[in-house]
Amino acid sequence: MRLNKYIAAAGICSRRKADELIANGNVKINGAVMKEMGYDVAEGDLVQVNGKEIAADEKKLYVAVNKPIGYITSMNDEQGRATVAELVKDIPERLFPVGRLDYNTSGLLIMTNDGQMSYTLAHPKHGVYKTYVARVAGVISDTKLAKLRKGVDIGGFVTAPARVKLVRQHPKSAIVEIQIREGKNRQVRKMFAAVGNKVQKLQRTAIGEIKLGRLMEGHYRKLTKEEIEYLKSL
Ligand code: URA
């Protein structure tokens, strides 16, 4: 197995991060620094990342977490804010988040120690629709819906076609369901800003066919066999 894939498969990190670790000289094979991502790991090779031995056959775990607002999607935070690691702290395996949700966004986050899957899911080319429900200030007209669906400029980047549904228009705010395949930083907030509506509340309700459902905020559940097979099929 290629070295970058091997590191990801050991559940240390994503494949992209593995490439960085290798390039930065953090990876040793049989005691010597190895900087070739494509090095073919042989049986019996001792692979060390930051001095610690790793193995690619760790048990893989997949959980769905309902991230509350006020948690950062990271395993640690220098500023001492709450992290999503705390939401799965009773799981002994070191899980890490697949993609990100903003500090102020709640909802579905998948966490796993399967670095390969994490890499696949995070890559926009696999085109998994992520579903968000947003409460936005003001009125969402048909013209705005059409713009959001077609693609809007969010500052040097025009978003790909999105699925957008007005769920309810209140006098001063609207509930909108939006499905996007890309994952630019703060994309949904920026898309609504581009049509003149501020997002007041944002929740992710699904990643592809994986649904948040009735999972309580701050809680997690293990993905079912069917859900894991679905993710692997992507
Ligand atoms: N879009 C956003 O603006 N924020 C998120 O957390 C996710 C998507």
Side-chain angles (χ1 to χ4, degrees), residues 18 25 29 40 48 80 103 115 136 152 169 184 186 197 205 218 227:
I29 303 289
D40 193 14
Q48 289 170 302
Y103 186 72
V136 304
V152 288
Q169 179 64 62
K184 296 283 174 205
R186 302 176 75 78
N197 297 78
T205 56
E227 286 174 324

Side-chain angles (χ1 to χ4, degrees), residues 14 19 27 34 44 53 68 76 79 86 89 92 94 123 140-141 158 171 175 180 211 216-217 219 222:
S14 68
D19 287 344
V27 179
M34 170 54 69
E53 184 179 351
N76 50 57
Q79 297 168 42
E86 289 161 39
K89 64 175 182 288
R94 184 175 155 79
H123 208 291
I140 290 285
S141 61
V158 177
I175 307 293
I180 58 170
K211 305 241 166 38
M216 285 195 333
E217 260 193 25
H219 288 235
K222 290 193 177 155

Side-chain angles (χ1 to χ4, degrees), residues 97-181:
V98 178
R100 284 161 57 119
L101 283 180
D102 296 340
Y103 186 72
N104 285 327
T105 303
S106 66
L108 180 62
L109 184 69
I110 292 174
M111 294 185 72
T112 181
N113 55 355
D114 182 344
Q116 183 58 46
M117 166 156 320
S118 177
Y119 177 79
T120 308
L121 260 182
H123 208 291
K125 83 168 182 216
H126 297 285
V128 181
Y129 274 102
K130 287 145 196 135
T131 307
Y132 297 86
V133 175
R135 188 183 76 207
V136 304
V139 174
I140 290 285
S141 61
D142 286 346
T143 316
K144 288 183 178 186
L145 284 175
K147 279 187 188 164
L148 290 165
R149 284 182 187 130
K150 189 155 172 259
V152 288
D153 190 333
I154 56 168
F157 178 83
V158 177
T159 57
R163 299 170 179 164
V164 191
K165 204 163 71 188
L166 177 62
V167 178
R168 213 169 299 122
Q169 179 64 62
H170 295 298
K172 288 184 178 164
S173 64
I175 307 293
V176 187
E177 186 185 271
I178 178 163
Q179 294 184 302
I180 58 170
R181 303 169 96 156

Side-chain angles (χ1 to χ4, degrees), residues 213-227:
R214 291 172 179 272
L215 184 61
M216 285 195 333
E217 260 193 25
H219 288 235
Y220 71 82
R221 66 173 175 86
K222 290 193 177 155
L223 295 191
T224 63
K225 223 170 85 195
E226 290 73 27
E227 286 174 324

